[in-house]
Amino acid sequence: MGCELLDGRPVARALRERALGELTRFRNVYGQNPGLAIVLIGEDPSAHAYRAAICKVAESVGIYTDVLALAADSSQERVNALIDQLNARPDIHGFVVLQPLPPHLSRVEIADRIDPLKDIDGITTFNAGRLFHDDRDVLAPSTPAGGMALLKHYDVPLAGQHAVVVGRSPVVGKPMAALLLAANATVTICHSRTRNLGAFTRQADIVVAAIGRAGAITGDMLKPGATVLDFGVNFVGGQMVGDVDADSVLPVAGRLTPVPGGTGRVTTIVLVRNVIKAGTLQYSQQQQASRRQPAT
Ligand code: NAP
């Protein structure tokens, strides 16, 4: 039968084409270019690499970007003040505070300081809640939304399928489970305290790995023909690898996203498209508010 590799590049190219069309409409209707800001705190190399990838994709479609770098020892108050400035800037339609954060900073406090209408990675409580209410207009976290775009591009059936999501972080595992559930999959979530992980993954039509451990999912943990979505980004001997042990998984799985070249490519363009979506939501809310103003 052979395992089909689900290449992220054609998916990213198709989404980029759609972004270009959306941008033209945005400029025509609102007379402005959408703007994206990236907040970098400290010197984490993976955050710097992600910043470079986001800027490259955003600038390639014509979205204005502004990178704001803070020292790793910046106080919570300093970070909060920067978020308040970005919430108020009319030239910035969406922004992200890149992970990982220095340990003295609160992820929850940062998330909920962000204006939900500018929350292009769907991390505020408001957007996370709306995601679980199956709101199609929500600004969904870009990594799982990219995973869903990839599954859709390759016509992977979801309705009635059993999906096992390994990982329960608020940015990858949990929102991925919510999106799969909204697509009518039957969803099981596993995590580091799950006993006998393989007993769950072997029942799955779709296995989603969002763990952060190289080689955590092996071929003997899969049902033959299963679809495997690998979000893992790990470095072993200077090489980027996923959470899936490709050597043992390839002879068993029906479909697999490669690392690199799979989910990561799609995440970045989904994030960039969310800037256009956020800008559109902001303008339509302003229009609704001005219609509610009594005539003078
Ligand atoms: P995270 O916050 O560290 O969460 C990891 C999750 O995996 C946790 O829920 C943890 O369980 C679970 N876990 C850890 N060890 C496990 C084990 N042995 N068995 C079962 N579950 C285990 O990481 P994240 O932010 O969700 O990221 C996950 C991976 O995706 C990382 O490699 C990250 O670099 C990558 N990532 C990729 C993209 C992309 O675009 N492809 C974007 C973002 C992140 P507990 O909750 O019990 O601790």
Side-chain angles (χ1 to χ4, degrees), residues 26-293:
F26 189 93
R27 289 193 196 103
N28 288 343
V29 175
Y30 305 116
Q32 197 185 0
N33 233 8
L36 157 69
I38 301 165
V39 179
L40 259 175
I41 309 170
E43 296 299 328
D44 181 79
S46 63
H48 278 259
Y50 190 31
R51 189 267 310 148
I54 299 170
C55 287
K56 190 172 161 200
V57 174
E59 285 157 16
S60 81
V61 295
I63 286 184
Y64 159 79
T65 58
D66 192 1
V67 178
L68 302 125
L70 292 181
D73 62 356
S74 298
S75 65
Q76 185 76 52
E77 291 68 32
R78 174 75 188 90
V79 178
N80 290 351
L82 180 60
I83 293 172
D84 293 345
Q85 282 168 21
L86 291 170
N87 284 338
R89 269 176 65 176
D91 62 326
I92 294 300
H93 298 86
F95 63 97
V96 275
V97 181
L98 292 187
Q99 311 271 338
L101 295 171
H104 67 282
L105 296 174
S106 158
R107 182 151 114 169
V108 175
E109 191 169 335
I110 287 174
D112 277 337
R113 193 98 187 177
I114 297 172
D115 177 348
L117 287 176
K118 294 194 175 187
D119 171 26
I120 53 169
D121 215 8
I123 61 166
T124 55
T125 305
F126 182 81
N127 283 325
R130 286 180 64 184
L131 185 74
F132 276 86
H133 281 276
D134 298 343
D135 181 345
R136 283 167 190 269
D137 287 331
V138 71
L139 290 165
S142 52
T143 302
M148 293 300 288
L150 211 144
L151 293 173
K152 188 173 174 204
H153 182 94
Y154 287 102
D155 289 326
V156 177
L158 299 176
Q161 300 290 294
H162 184 194
V164 172
V165 179
V166 189
R168 57 174 166 179
S169 77
V171 284
V172 192
K174 272 187 208 150
M176 186 69 198
L179 290 167
L180 286 164
L181 199 57
N184 297 317
T186 301
V187 181
T188 301
I189 305 179
C190 299
H191 46 79
S192 69
R193 309 286 278 275
T194 299
R195 275 181 279 159
N196 195 358
L197 180 61
F200 293 91
T201 53
R202 269 190 292 277
Q203 296 174 37
D205 304 300
I206 300 162
V207 173
V208 176
I211 307 166
R213 288 186 204 283
I217 303 293
T218 49
D220 61 334
M221 296 168 76
L222 299 177
K223 176 163 87 175
T227 296
V228 184
L229 200 65
D230 190 354
F231 284 122
V233 178
N234 311 291
F235 289 90
V236 176
Q239 281 219 313
M240 188 168 132
V241 295
D243 289 342
V244 164
D245 173 43
D247 287 346
S248 65
V249 162
L250 278 169
V252 183
R255 305 181 186 95
L256 170 68
T257 58
V259 177
T263 55
R265 298 246 173 189
V266 188
T267 298
T268 318
I269 185 68
V270 169
L271 186 79
V272 166
R273 272 184 84 201
N274 270 354
V275 181
I276 311 167
K277 187 173 179 177
T280 308
L281 289 171
Q282 287 155 42
Y283 280 114
S284 65
Q285 201 166 85
Q286 281 165 20
Q287 281 166 354
Q288 279 170 21
S290 65
R291 277 201 287 275
R292 280 197 296 270
Q293 294 280 329

